[in-house]
Amino acid sequence: MKKSNIVSNIQKYYLGGLSKGVIWNIKNNKVNISFTTETKDTVGDLVFDLNLDDCEIGINNTDALLRLLSITDEELQLELDTKETGLPTKLRIQDKKYDLDYNLSDSKIIERVPTVQEIDYDFTFKLNDEFINSFLKAHNALEKTNEFSLNTSTTPQGENVVEIIIGERERHANKIKFTEPAEFTTQSDLIPFSALVIREILSANKGSEGTASVSNKGLLKIEFNTDESSVKYFVVRQQ
């Protein structure tokens, strides 16, 4: 197995520490993970390929798992240690030098992820590395402000665009705005979301192309798909 692939997929739900405890449901060499941030403003679903026996394992401290993986070579092996009951208790990580054990948690102690009732979306736009880099540079320039907003408009040339406005909503706050082509039939009001959450989502999915779908009622869905994984995020608007 490739360490880089495993770590890359873990980062897609870990989100820089915003989501730490999850259950890995493994079946037919695929991992299904539902996750939520500690603030409950974001939930998501991740599926990726992983060659492990069918089971359900609790990962209550993703940070510790990532630290163990960080010292291994690129080529490694993952195995599950089980008790007499057949329930997995440890995830064994091995490379040419190290033999590491990560203690698994009882899945019952990991908080369940809220379900999302999807609604109709009012506008969509594409996500790619150019967009990701633009957002991250702007967010860094504003010292990682907590907020950004989305708003649709039509240019004088008749092109439908979404305005990405990074910065607090207060009139006196510093802001950076850029636009991306968008698809919509009716224009939206200004909708605020967590810039910190979106930053981590975009950072974790560099190199992938995705789609953002937005409801004027205050729900943002972000999807990224590759040959080896798919991930979906639902982010609720800020008040």
Side-chain angles (χ1 to χ4, degrees), residues 18 20 56 82 88 104 110 159 172 188 192:
L18 299 179
K20 298 177 181 178
E56 179 181 278
T82 59
L104 301 172
I110 295 175
E159 181 185 20
H172 65 273
S188 74

PDB file of all heavy atoms in Angstrom, residues 18 20 56 82 88 104 110 159 172 188 192:
ATOM      1  N   LEU A  18     -10.384  19.387  12.469  1.00  0.00           N
ATOM      2  CA  LEU A  18     -11.772  19.782  12.730  1.00  0.00           C
ATOM      3  C   LEU A  18     -12.677  18.571  12.955  1.00  0.00           C
ATOM      4  O   LEU A  18     -13.724  18.666  13.568  1.00  0.00           O
ATOM      5  CB  LEU A  18     -12.312  20.624  11.561  1.00  0.00           C
ATOM      6  CG  LEU A  18     -11.574  21.939  11.284  1.00  0.00           C
ATOM      7  CD1 LEU A  18     -12.201  22.650  10.090  1.00  0.00           C
ATOM      8  CD2 LEU A  18     -11.599  22.846  12.506  1.00  0.00           C
ATOM      9  N   LYS A  20     -12.199  14.515  14.191  1.00  0.00           N
ATOM     10  CA  LYS A  20     -11.167  13.623  14.728  1.00  0.00           C
ATOM     11  C   LYS A  20     -11.619  12.188  14.912  1.00  0.00           C
ATOM     12  O   LYS A  20     -10.871  11.258  14.637  1.00  0.00           O
ATOM     13  CB  LYS A  20     -10.662  14.176  16.072  1.00  0.00           C
ATOM     14  CG  LYS A  20     -10.003  15.549  15.958  1.00  0.00           C
ATOM     15  CD  LYS A  20      -9.580  16.086  17.316  1.00  0.00           C
ATOM     16  CE  LYS A  20      -8.958  17.467  17.186  1.00  0.00           C
ATOM     17  NZ  LYS A  20      -8.573  18.021  18.516  1.00  0.00           N
ATOM     18  N   GLU A  56     -15.821  -3.158  10.965  1.00  0.00           N
ATOM     19  CA  GLU A  56     -16.100  -1.793  11.396  1.00  0.00           C
ATOM     20  C   GLU A  56     -15.108  -1.457  12.491  1.00  0.00           C
ATOM     21  O   GLU A  56     -15.012  -2.174  13.485  1.00  0.00           O
ATOM     22  CB  GLU A  56     -17.528  -1.678  11.911  1.00  0.00           C
ATOM     23  CG  GLU A  56     -17.893  -0.292  12.408  1.00  0.00           C
ATOM     24  CD  GLU A  56     -19.311  -0.229  12.941  1.00  0.00           C
ATOM     25  OE1 GLU A  56     -20.242  -0.091  12.129  1.00  0.00           O
ATOM     26  OE2 GLU A  56     -19.488  -0.340  14.173  1.00  0.00           O
ATOM     27  N   THR A  82      -7.161  -8.994  15.979  1.00  0.00           N
ATOM     28  CA  THR A  82      -8.493  -9.199  16.535  1.00  0.00           C
ATOM     29  C   THR A  82      -8.426  -9.996  17.828  1.00  0.00           C
ATOM     30  O   THR A  82      -7.497 -10.757  18.072  1.00  0.00           O
ATOM     31  CB  THR A  82      -9.394  -9.956  15.539  1.00  0.00           C
ATOM     32  OG1 THR A  82      -8.789 -11.220  15.240  1.00  0.00           O
ATOM     33  CG2 THR A  82      -9.555  -9.164  14.250  1.00  0.00           C
ATOM     34  N   PRO A  88     -11.834  -6.436  15.823  1.00  0.00           N
ATOM     35  CA  PRO A  88     -10.500  -5.839  15.717  1.00  0.00           C
ATOM     36  C   PRO A  88     -10.206  -4.905  16.884  1.00  0.00           C
ATOM     37  O   PRO A  88     -11.069  -4.136  17.309  1.00  0.00           O
ATOM     38  CB  PRO A  88     -10.562  -5.076  14.388  1.00  0.00           C
ATOM     39  CG  PRO A  88     -12.011  -4.827  14.149  1.00  0.00           C
ATOM     40  CD  PRO A  88     -12.753  -5.970  14.771  1.00  0.00           C
ATOM     41  N   LEU A 104      -7.409   0.607  18.424  1.00  0.00           N
ATOM     42  CA  LEU A 104      -8.721   0.987  17.925  1.00  0.00           C
ATOM     43  C   LEU A 104      -9.677   1.237  19.086  1.00  0.00           C
ATOM     44  O   LEU A 104      -9.507   0.708  20.183  1.00  0.00           O
ATOM     45  CB  LEU A 104      -9.270  -0.108  17.013  1.00  0.00           C
ATOM     46  CG  LEU A 104      -8.400  -0.424  15.785  1.00  0.00           C
ATOM     47  CD1 LEU A 104      -8.914  -1.653  15.058  1.00  0.00           C
ATOM     48  CD2 LEU A 104      -8.361   0.783  14.841  1.00  0.00           C
ATOM     49  N   ILE A 110     -17.945   6.609  19.765  1.00  0.00           N
ATOM     50  CA  ILE A 110     -17.746   7.663  18.774  1.00  0.00           C
ATOM     51  C   ILE A 110     -19.103   8.251  18.404  1.00  0.00           C
ATOM     52  O   ILE A 110     -20.045   7.530  18.069  1.00  0.00           O
ATOM     53  CB  ILE A 110     -17.022   7.119  17.532  1.00  0.00           C
ATOM     54  CG1 ILE A 110     -15.604   6.675  17.927  1.00  0.00           C
ATOM     55  CG2 ILE A 110     -16.968   8.166  16.422  1.00  0.00           C
ATOM     56  CD1 ILE A 110     -14.833   6.015  16.828  1.00  0.00           C
ATOM     57  N   GLU A 159     -22.418  37.377 -18.463  1.00  0.00           N
ATOM     58  CA  GLU A 159     -21.940  36.108 -17.927  1.00  0.00           C
ATOM     59  C   GLU A 159     -22.402  35.937 -16.484  1.00  0.00           C
ATOM     60  O   GLU A 159     -22.224  36.835 -15.652  1.00  0.00           O
ATOM     61  CB  GLU A 159     -20.411  36.048 -17.981  1.00  0.00           C
ATOM     62  CG  GLU A 159     -19.840  34.736 -17.445  1.00  0.00           C
ATOM     63  CD  GLU A 159     -18.320  34.742 -17.385  1.00  0.00           C
ATOM     64  OE1 GLU A 159     -17.713  35.830 -17.395  1.00  0.00           O
ATOM     65  OE2 GLU A 159     -17.745  33.640 -17.301  1.00  0.00           O
ATOM     66  N   HIS A 172     -16.542  47.735   7.896  1.00  0.00           N
ATOM     67  CA  HIS A 172     -15.174  48.236   8.001  1.00  0.00           C
ATOM     68  C   HIS A 172     -14.116  47.153   7.787  1.00  0.00           C
ATOM     69  O   HIS A 172     -12.926  47.439   7.742  1.00  0.00           O
ATOM     70  CB  HIS A 172     -14.959  48.870   9.380  1.00  0.00           C
ATOM     71  CG  HIS A 172     -15.061  47.881  10.506  1.00  0.00           C
ATOM     72  ND1 HIS A 172     -16.269  47.562  11.094  1.00  0.00           N
ATOM     73  CD2 HIS A 172     -14.119  47.121  11.138  1.00  0.00           C
ATOM     74  CE1 HIS A 172     -16.064  46.657  12.049  1.00  0.00           C
ATOM     75  NE2 HIS A 172     -14.765  46.370  12.096  1.00  0.00           N
ATOM     76  N   SER A 188     -28.900  35.027  -6.100  1.00  0.00           N
ATOM     77  CA  SER A 188     -28.977  34.744  -4.668  1.00  0.00           C
ATOM     78  C   SER A 188     -28.683  35.989  -3.856  1.00  0.00           C
ATOM     79  O   SER A 188     -28.150  36.988  -4.364  1.00  0.00           O
ATOM     80  CB  SER A 188     -27.961  33.664  -4.307  1.00  0.00           C
ATOM     81  OG  SER A 188     -26.647  34.212  -4.319  1.00  0.00           O
ATOM     82  N   PRO A 192     -23.251  33.639   3.990  1.00  0.00           N
ATOM     83  CA  PRO A 192     -21.967  33.479   4.686  1.00  0.00           C
ATOM     84  C   PRO A 192     -21.713  32.033   5.112  1.00  0.00           C
ATOM     85  O   PRO A 192     -22.621  31.317   5.537  1.00  0.00           O
ATOM     86  CB  PRO A 192     -22.125  34.378   5.911  1.00  0.00           C
ATOM     87  CG  PRO A 192     -23.594  34.308   6.222  1.00  0.00           C
ATOM     88  CD  PRO A 192     -24.309  34.143   4.891  1.00  0.00           C
TER      89      PRO A 192
END
